[in-house]
């Protein structure tokens, strides 16, 4: 199995370009099923999750061409000859469920694997189904599959018990071609929701309120093709900001939007890290002396849960006691065990982690348990004394485009071993 071998690294220097955002791209690719016209999406990194979505859409009958060099995908769903996805194509990626709405709208049916739980939580879809039921779709769940069908979707007022990103995206897509108007209350406001809404508006959808807790969608008769450059990945950007902080480095990030990173920048500033917004991007510098912080993950505009593991790595080296509270997922501290193998001092108490800063971490054999936990381990490995071997790196490659190459270009001692 492939592994990352990482040696202690100091003072990352240079410039890194942030790739297109996985969590905007996946719903946008699913939305291409809403029209028979050709859609073009630019700034598409060749992530394994992107390749999985390409394979899934092809399985429904869409024609896709992905040029990994150009980082461009064209999608034409002129013909959909099945609305059922098998477990092997759809089961490995939870975001496959984002095709439920476009299939329901276009073909009035969908049959997809029930997204299983994963390391970080049970990952239910009750809010997605609540929205679809309110709009006139029935569903049944058996043998690990969820089947949906409708005589036609009708606009409705839908209140989300939790501002779920995926449920907001699925309901928003379903509402674009429903009869009448849909209002989603307590909607998720993540930047990825806004990027999907921008793409849907380019296709002719009538959506307002995206980026707030109330999104209104007026159903239209049809949608047409569109061209879109996907937003930069705010979590990849946050990962590189923390990489500079942990190695006492000084790097410039290209292709970032500061408004997507406000909670991360605020917390890094509290840690004593200097950041400067320049016309080329964000410059981050650190002398490697880090102050402890208290963090509580919240839906946007709060501190993003996807940055929680990465910040836990950071504060293991802070001068004092930090507390991290995870409010979004019920089991997202698995990385703490791997960090403790490297000498971190972490105590978990239900939804909170208490981290006592230590003088240094030491290289060890560790395992990536999920995408962001894997990224966190890479950063700890750069800061640690000695060599670290990280296994199960397929998790990391789901959401980071050749992270080891980008880090090596900044001076990091990291390479992939087959
Ligand atoms: C998206 O997942 C992201 N994935 C996740 O990123 C991210 O952590 C998450 O949003 C929160 O920001 C993609 O966009 C592909 P949710 P999603 O529905 O949509 C509960 C990464 O590392 N919930 O907002 O699945 C759920 O249990 C990944 O890139 C329900 O109760 O997240 C969880 O506790 C990890 N019922 C909370 O909401 C539902 O029907 C947040 O889930 C749906 C969700």
């Amino acid at each position: 199995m492939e592994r990352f071998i990482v040696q202690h690294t100091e003072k990352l220097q240079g410039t890194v370009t942030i790739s297109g955002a996985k969590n905007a791209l996946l719903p946008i690719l699913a939305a291409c099923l809403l029209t028979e016209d050709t859609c073009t999406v630019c700034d598409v990194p060749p992530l394994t999750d992107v390749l999985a979505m390409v394979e899934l859409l092809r399985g429904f009958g869409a024609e896709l061409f992905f040029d990994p060099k150009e980082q461009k995908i064209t999608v034409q769903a002129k013909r959909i000859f099945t609305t059922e996805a098998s477990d092997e194509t759809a089961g490995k990626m939870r975001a496959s469920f984002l095709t439920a709405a476009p299939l329901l709208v276009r073909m009035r049916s969908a049959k997809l694997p029930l997204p299983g739980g994963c390391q970080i939580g049970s990952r239910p879809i009750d809010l997605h189904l609540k929205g679809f039921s309110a709009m006139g779709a029935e569903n049944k769940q058996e043998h690990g599959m969820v089947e949906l069908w409708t005589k036609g979707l009708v606009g409705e007022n839908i209140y989300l018990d939790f501002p779920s990103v995926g449920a907001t995206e699925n309901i928003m897509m379903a509402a674009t071609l429903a009869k009448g108007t849909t209002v989603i209350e307590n909607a998720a406001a993540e930047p990825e929701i806004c990027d999907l809404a921008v793409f849907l508006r380019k296709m002719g959808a009538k959506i307002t309120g995206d980026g707030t807790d109330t999104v209104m969608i007026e159903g239209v008769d049809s949608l047409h093709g569109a061209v879109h450059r996907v937003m930069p990945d705010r979590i990849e950007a946050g990962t590189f900001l923390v990489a500079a902080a942990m190695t006492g480095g000084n790097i410039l990030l290209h292709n970032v939007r500061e408004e997507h990173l406000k909670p991360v920048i605020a917390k890094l500033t509290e840690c004593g890290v200097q950041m400067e917004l320049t016309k080329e991007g964000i410059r981050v510098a650190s002398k490697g002396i880090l102050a402890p912080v208290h963090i509580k993950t919240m839906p946007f505009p709060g501190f993003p849960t996807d940055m929680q593991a990465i910040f836990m790595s950071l504060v293991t080296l802070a001068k004092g006691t930090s507390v991290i509270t995870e409010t979004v997922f019920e089991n997202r501290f698995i990385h703490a065990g791997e960090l403790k193998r490297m000498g971190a001092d972490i105590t978990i108490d239900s939804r909170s982690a208490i981290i006592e800063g230590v003088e240094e971490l030491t290289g060890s054999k560790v395992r990536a348990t999920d995408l962001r936990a894997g990224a966190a381990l890479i950063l700890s490995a750069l800061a640690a004394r000695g060599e670290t071997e990280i296994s199960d790196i397929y998790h990391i490659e789901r959401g980071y485009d050749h992270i080891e190459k980008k880090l090596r270009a900044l001076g990091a001692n990291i390479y992939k071993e087959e």
Side-chain angles (χ1 to χ4, degrees):
M1 288 288 268
E2 291 182 328
R3 289 163 300 169
F4 282 143
I5 307 298
V6 189
Q7 307 287 347
H8 178 74
T9 295
E10 297 199 355
K11 297 188 184 341
L12 291 178
Q13 309 273 347
T15 301
V16 61
T17 299
I18 300 304
S19 301
K22 164 179 88 81
N23 290 350
L25 199 44
L26 294 175
I28 284 169
L29 289 173
C32 294
L33 293 177
L34 290 164
T35 177
E36 294 186 4
D37 293 353
T38 299
C39 294
T40 302
V41 188
C42 306
D43 220 2
V44 177
L47 306 171
T48 48
D49 270 11
V50 171
L51 302 177
M53 184 59 89
V54 168
E55 184 194 339
L56 180 65
L57 299 183
R58 280 189 179 131
F60 296 130
E63 288 179 15
L64 289 97
F65 177 69
F66 180 25
D67 179 343
K69 282 210 179 26
E70 279 278 295
Q71 301 226 332
K72 190 158 72 169
I73 285 190
T74 53
V75 186
Q76 189 185 27
K78 199 160 194 60
R79 191 183 49 264
I80 295 177
F81 49 66
T82 177
T83 62
E84 183 169 342
S86 64
D87 212 24
E88 51 273 18
T89 45
K92 59 193 167 208
M93 185 178 65
R94 311 183 34 62
S96 305
F97 198 68
L98 292 171
T99 58
L103 291 170
L104 259 182
V105 166
R106 274 290 294 274
M107 310 299 285
R108 302 194 166 184
S109 73
K111 188 171 180 180
L112 298 162
L114 202 51
C118 65
Q119 293 278 25
I120 63 178
S122 59
R123 311 297 293 272
I125 54 165
D126 58 305
L127 298 176
H128 300 241
L129 299 178
K130 174 181 180 181
F132 291 148
S133 302
M135 296 174 78
E138 294 179 71
N139 72 82
K140 72 174 176 186
Q141 300 171 43
E142 57 184 14
H143 312 305
M145 299 294 283
V146 52
E147 201 170 343
L148 293 142
W149 63 96
T150 179
K151 293 191 175 59
L153 296 175
V154 179
E156 244 317 331
N157 282 11
I158 297 158
Y159 172 79
L160 293 181
D161 305 56
F162 182 91
S164 154
V165 171
T168 302
E169 290 166 343
N170 245 333
I171 296 165
M172 198 160 76
M173 286 190 279
T176 55
L177 291 166
K179 290 255 169 298
T181 299
T182 298
V183 178
I184 308 172
E185 291 179 332
N186 198 27
E190 270 69 4
E192 293 77 16
I193 305 272
C194 300
D195 210 38
L196 172 62
V198 167
F199 179 64
L200 290 168
R201 277 193 286 268
K202 285 179 178 177
M203 295 173 79
K206 289 186 177 160
I207 302 174
T208 54
D210 45 294
T212 75
D213 63 1
T214 306
V215 182
M216 184 183 288
I217 308 102
E218 199 184 319
V220 295
D221 295 333
S222 67
L223 296 177
H224 49 73
V227 178
H228 184 67
R229 174 174 298 283
V230 73
M231 64 174 254
D233 193 315
R234 61 192 170 106
I235 307 302
E236 184 190 23
T239 305
F240 280 96
L241 291 175
V242 172
M246 292 182 73
T247 58
N250 183 322
I251 64 175
L252 176 67
L253 278 68
H254 274 324
N255 192 33
V256 286
R257 291 194 198 152
E258 187 249 354
E259 68 274 20
H260 294 170
L261 284 160
K262 286 192 186 301
V264 172
I265 290 171
K267 284 298 168 184
L268 277 174
T269 304
E270 277 182 42
C271 281
V273 179
Q274 288 85 38
M275 279 153 289
E276 184 197 354
L277 192 60
T278 71
K279 57 184 183 317
E280 294 99 356
I282 296 181
R283 177 166 293 284
V284 51
S286 159
K287 293 189 175 45
I289 313 290
L290 301 165
V293 283
H294 284 207
I295 284 176
K296 185 175 182 181
T297 67
M298 295 291 282
F300 196 86
F303 188 90
T305 174
D306 290 349
M307 283 298 300
Q308 183 257 102
I310 292 152
F311 253 73
M312 188 180 286
S313 275
L314 176 75
V315 297
T316 62
L317 292 169
K319 303 277 177 240
T321 306
S322 300
V323 179
I324 297 181
T325 303
E326 171 60 60
T327 73
V328 176
F329 287 105
E330 69 266 29
N331 185 33
R332 201 170 193 175
F333 285 140
I334 306 146
H335 43 277
E338 296 302 302
L339 290 172
K340 286 160 82 167
R341 288 173 53 76
M342 299 179 74
D345 178 349
I346 305 169
T347 310
I348 304 295
D349 170 14
S350 173
R351 287 263 183 145
S352 288
I354 297 97
I355 304 104
E356 298 296 345
V358 294
E359 274 308 304
E360 68 170 12
L361 298 171
T362 54
S364 167
K365 285 187 187 334
V366 291
R367 196 171 60 82
T369 48
D370 68 74
L371 164 55
R372 307 302 173 186
L377 290 172
I378 292 177
L379 303 188
S380 291
L382 292 172
R385 179 165 51 82
E387 177 175 285
T388 300
E389 180 185 300
I390 304 172
S391 57
D392 291 354
I393 59 171
Y394 62 89
H395 287 292
I396 303 170
E397 295 179 326
R398 295 185 51 180
Y400 289 92
D401 178 19
H402 295 99
I403 189 168
E404 78 282 5
K405 287 186 183 156
K406 290 190 175 185
L407 284 168
R408 257 206 310 276
L410 296 171
N413 298 309
I414 176 172
Y415 66 94
K416 190 193 292 191
E417 194 172 75
E418 304 306 317

